[in-house]
Amino acid sequence: MFTGIIESTGIVKEVISKGSNKTYWLNCPLAKDFRVDQSVSHSGVCLTIEEIRDAEYRVTAIEETLLKTTISNWETGTPVNIERSLLLGSRLDGHFVQGHVDTTGTCISRIEKKGSWEFDFEFPSAFSPLMIEKGSICVNGISLTAFNVTRNSFRVAIIPYTFDHTNISQVREGQQVNLEFDMIGKYIDRRLSLQ
């Protein structure tokens, strides 16, 4: 369980394909604090730490993850948003995030607004019931507030700190991002669908 408040960014150092899986070595300042078997959010995708070597560590994405997220596009030099799991008893500064990406979205607009940025993202309309105006959305692991919500798109505003300390600054029109919709909304939608 995560909050969508990014702690650091890592950089992909090596990509190894093995069967239908891909293994990634990443460099990150937090690596020294990781432990093997720890769950860590990587641009919104929960991956298990498998090995640690100084400031570098290894994770593996299986076929299911590669098909449903942007991880299959990672290559050497790709910046990755990093967040360790939520500690019970600590503040919840973002919103509940599972690290289970629902789908990918596409950036359809990026506008600089004199000190902040606005991004519009398009997503499959099948997820429309999970989006509400001023609701929470997780984009590449970042907890954000959605507005200008339509059937298949939404807008987010990015403050300078988030722009400077996450990989959102690298997102351009046409680029895909990982999306996780609000967990509470998913449970409500599921319950209503069973009535």
Side-chain angles (χ1 to χ4, degrees):
M1 184 73 74
F2 307 95
T3 66
I5 303 301
I6 304 305
E7 295 183 86
S8 185
T9 52
I11 301 294
V12 175
K13 302 303 282 184
E14 184 180 2
V15 181
I16 304 163
S17 294
K18 186 174 184 182
S20 60
N21 300 339
K22 283 191 177 181
T23 296
Y24 300 91
W25 278 95
L26 292 96
N27 181 284
C28 178
L30 294 177
K32 66 185 182 333
D33 299 322
F34 292 164
R35 69 176 196 287
V36 171
D37 201 34
Q38 183 177 12
S39 295
V40 175
S41 174
H42 292 76
S43 289
V45 181
C46 181
L47 297 172
T48 301
I49 305 296
E50 299 175 324
E51 183 180 350
I52 304 166
R53 294 183 191 158
D54 300 318
E56 294 188 359
Y57 65 95
R58 184 185 76 206
V59 295
T60 296
I62 62 173
E63 184 177 21
E64 173 78 0
T65 305
L66 295 168
L67 291 173
K68 292 193 174 177
T69 71
T70 62
I71 289 182
S72 60
N73 299 327
W74 290 1
E75 54 191 26
T76 301
T78 298
V80 178
N81 293 331
I82 303 295
E83 180 191 358
R84 291 173 288 181
S85 59
L86 172 66
L87 292 173
L88 290 179
S90 57
R91 294 178 197 260
L92 182 63
D93 291 327
H95 71 281
F96 287 119
V97 175
Q98 293 179 295
H100 304 158
V101 171
D102 293 302
T103 189
T104 57
T106 303
C107 178
I108 55 174
S109 172
R110 171 184 160 140
I111 303 166
E112 188 168 354
K113 303 285 283 186
K114 295 183 181 177
S116 66
W117 293 261
E118 290 183 356
F119 290 79
D120 288 315
F121 294 100
E122 193 171 64
F123 61 92
S125 59
F127 294 96
S128 185
L130 303 177
M131 287 295 297
I132 61 170
E133 188 74 13
K134 304 297 185 195
S136 296
I137 181 69
C138 190
V139 177
N140 276 357
I142 309 164
S143 175
L144 298 168
T145 301
F147 63 101
N148 287 2
V149 175
T150 72
R151 183 167 177 77
N152 69 336
S153 69
F154 63 90
R155 179 173 291 172
V156 292
I158 307 297
I159 63 171
Y161 184 88
T162 302
F163 191 85
D164 292 339
H165 291 89
T166 70
N167 66 8
I168 197 78
S169 62
Q170 306 296 312
V171 174
R172 302 288 188 265
E173 287 185 33
Q175 187 174 342
Q176 287 191 314
V177 295
N178 293 320
L179 298 178
E180 181 181 332
F181 298 95
D182 183 53
M183 180 175 66
I184 296 169
K186 288 190 275 190
Y187 278 112
I188 292 169
D189 185 59
R190 171 72 173 155
R191 177 70 178 109
L192 292 174
S193 73
L194 297 175
Q195 291 182 350

